[in-house]
Amino acid sequence: MSIYLTAISRAKAQHVDQFKALLLNLVVESRKEVACIQYDLHQSAEDPALFIFHEEWASKESLELHNQTPHILNFIKESADIIDGNVTIHTTEKVA
């Protein structure tokens, strides 16, 4: 059963480009994962510091494995000083 996820994060204003580069690396690396069905990154048109991922994973277990990959762990480390707050994650069920 697929797991659907929306992850929302914000960069500190002076670090938007650096933060975006880290996020784009997540896209490249995450899409290589066998269990990754969808991994799309969006940037707010009204607030360039706001980024939203829409993700679909093959299973809960595959999402848990994803969260332990080197690219996720590297993102956590590299973004610590440039992220504004915490990543907000919403796990959802597809309705239509």
Side-chain angles (χ1 to χ4, degrees):
M1 172 191 255
S2 286
I3 300 294
Y4 299 91
L5 187 79
T6 300
I8 304 166
S9 58
R10 176 181 297 281
K12 292 180 180 175
Q14 66 273 30
H15 297 291
V16 171
D17 291 338
Q18 182 182 1
F19 190 72
K20 185 176 181 178
L22 290 174
L23 295 176
L24 288 170
N25 183 64
L26 286 181
V27 172
V28 170
E29 295 302 320
S30 296
R31 286 181 176 171
K32 293 177 184 176
E33 295 178 55
V34 173
C36 179
I37 299 168
Q38 176 186 357
Y39 203 88
D40 297 332
L41 175 62
H42 299 260
Q43 186 174 17
S44 172
E46 293 86 26
D47 180 358
L50 182 68
F51 294 90
I52 301 168
F53 275 110
H54 295 290
E55 305 174 27
E56 182 180 356
W57 294 91
S59 66
K60 180 180 177 183
E61 295 77 20
S62 62
L63 176 59
E64 290 171 358
L65 287 173
H66 164 71
N67 288 331
Q68 298 306 312
T69 58
H71 51 275
I72 291 293
L73 298 176
N74 183 63
F75 168 77
I76 292 167
K77 177 184 168 192
E78 296 295 320
S79 67
D81 293 331
I82 62 174
I83 193 169
D84 186 3
N86 296 316
V87 177
T88 302
I89 297 174
H90 300 277
T91 304
T92 61
E93 295 179 7
K94 190 171 184 177
V95 176

